[in-house]
Amino acid sequence: MLKTETPSRRHPDLDLYPVEQLVAALVDDQFWAVEAVRLASPDIAAAITAALPRIAAGGRLLYVGAGTSGRLGVLDSVELTPTFSWPPERAVAILAGGAGAMFAAVEGAEDDVQQGERDLLALQPQVNDVVILLAASGATPYVLGALLAARTAGALTIGIANNVDAPVAHEAQCGIVLDTGTEVISGSTRLKAGTAQKITLNTISSALMVGLHKTYGNLMVDLKPTNAKLIWRAVRLTMHATGASEMQARAVLEQCHYHVKVAIVALIKKINTNQAQALLAGADGSVRAALAA
């Protein structure tokens, strides 16, 4: 039996716990998710190293999963646009059962190998694409079908699973096993298996964005300010990076449609925003390189 499906020996009387003990059991078990990711760090780093040149060359991040794993892929994909101004067409997630499965379980969808293959092929995968395949069991047929299609197309495949010897990790070019073990509630991989997958996805996509010069130091300088909160964040980031006053930061940001990178270079170099944009374009979007030019 898979570890993720095996009943936990630590909490056989879970239903008898008082609330305080129940909360402690559920929370404390999550620490194993962090440890599982930490142990898999070398494989995560290898996957990022393999993926970065392809994404830098114009490739897409394509996520595939079923159930909780698939929903985590959707979450990671949609958050890249507001956080890093990443084009939404370059971060696409497919979910067993289709878009409706984001909100309601579609029974049997994860068991269809051919549908996984068809759904991935519908995205017309290319050699520079990076396909991230998520399956707690590591053997979800839908995900394995998509893996086969991705490999046939020559895309880079990253398989993420929560069981040792998982096919999705073995058959992908970059395999990541997050050995989270048994769940407090037997088989409920929305618990620490899902947490470990979320941490891993955060790490991979964030590291790729850092590698693509989407940050300046640890500042989120390529965000897409689509609401009042993010506009104010853009102002604060510009002030922090340049030492400018709020009035100065807002004035320059308004000239460049609140593109923080451009505002930082313009303010520090004391040039106009068009010149700052040109410097950034010549520096592959790197604020540090543009400032050194």
Side-chain angles (χ1 to χ4, degrees), residues 38-106:
R38 183 178 287 119
L39 291 172
S41 291
D43 291 331
I44 295 170
I48 293 164
T49 300
L52 184 56
R54 299 199 189 210
I55 299 300
R60 298 171 294 171
L61 286 166
L62 306 178
Y63 302 76
V64 184
T68 296
S69 297
R71 294 182 189 105
L72 289 170
V74 173
L75 183 62
D76 201 67
S77 70
V78 300
E79 289 183 343
L80 294 180
T81 297
T83 309
F84 299 109
S85 294
W86 190 248
E89 66 274 12
R90 292 186 64 194
V92 181
I94 58 173
L95 183 60
M102 188 70 189
F103 306 100
V106 178

Side-chain angles (χ1 to χ4, degrees), residues 205-221:
S205 59
S206 297
L208 288 173
M209 294 300 116
V210 172
L212 294 169
H213 312 304
K214 296 287 186 177
T215 62
Y216 173 45
N218 66 348
L219 303 181
M220 189 197 305
V221 294

Side-chain angles (χ1 to χ4, degrees), residues 10 44 47 70 95 98 156 158 198 237 246:
R10 297 180 63 205
I44 295 170
L95 183 60
L156 178 69
I158 300 174
K198 180 69 167 69
L237 287 168
E246 180 181 341

Side-chain angles (χ1 to χ4, degrees), residues 8-9 26 41 50 62 72 79 81 87 104 127 129 136 163 168 171 223 225 232 243 256 259:
S8 172
R9 295 181 179 180
L26 290 165
S41 291
L62 306 178
L72 289 170
E79 289 183 343
T81 297
V127 293
D129 290 336
N163 283 288
V168 74
E171 295 172 22
L223 78 162
W232 176 228
C256 59
H259 193 170

Side-chain angles (χ1 to χ4, degrees), residues 109-242:
E110 69 176 53
D111 299 326
D112 194 333
V113 175
Q114 288 75 27
Q115 192 60 52
E117 188 172 0
R118 285 193 295 268
D119 286 352
L120 198 283
L121 288 175
L123 299 178
Q124 299 181 316
Q126 307 294 317
V127 293
N128 282 326
D129 290 336
V130 175
V131 183
I132 301 176
L133 304 120
L134 299 140
S137 70
T140 305
Y142 178 89
V143 176
L144 293 177
L147 171 58
L148 175 61
R151 293 206 63 167
T152 301
L156 178 69
T157 53
I158 300 174
I160 300 174
N162 295 88
N163 283 288
V164 176
D165 297 325
V168 74
H170 272 304
E171 295 172 22
Q173 285 135 296
C174 300
I176 298 171
V177 174
L178 308 169
D179 187 8
T180 43
T182 62
E183 297 286 0
V184 171
I185 299 175
S186 305
S188 183
T189 51
R190 61 181 287 272
L191 297 175
K192 68 173 176 286
T195 299
Q197 289 184 11
K198 180 69 167 69
I199 296 169
T200 302
L201 288 173
N202 279 348
T203 301
I204 291 172
S205 59
S206 297
L208 288 173
M209 294 300 116
V210 172
L212 294 169
H213 312 304
K214 296 287 186 177
T215 62
Y216 173 45
N218 66 348
L219 303 181
M220 189 197 305
V221 294
D222 220 357
L223 78 162
K224 197 174 186 67
T226 53
N227 56 43
K229 178 190 76 174
L230 293 178
I231 288 173
W232 176 228
R233 183 179 295 168
V235 173
R236 293 201 317 271
L237 287 168
T238 303
M239 293 168 62
H240 180 86
T242 66

Side-chain angles (χ1 to χ4, degrees), residues 250-262:
R250 283 188 183 275
V252 175
L253 283 165
E254 286 172 5
Q255 294 170 28
C256 59
H257 306 289
Y258 281 82
H259 193 170
V260 177
K261 280 186 174 184
V262 176

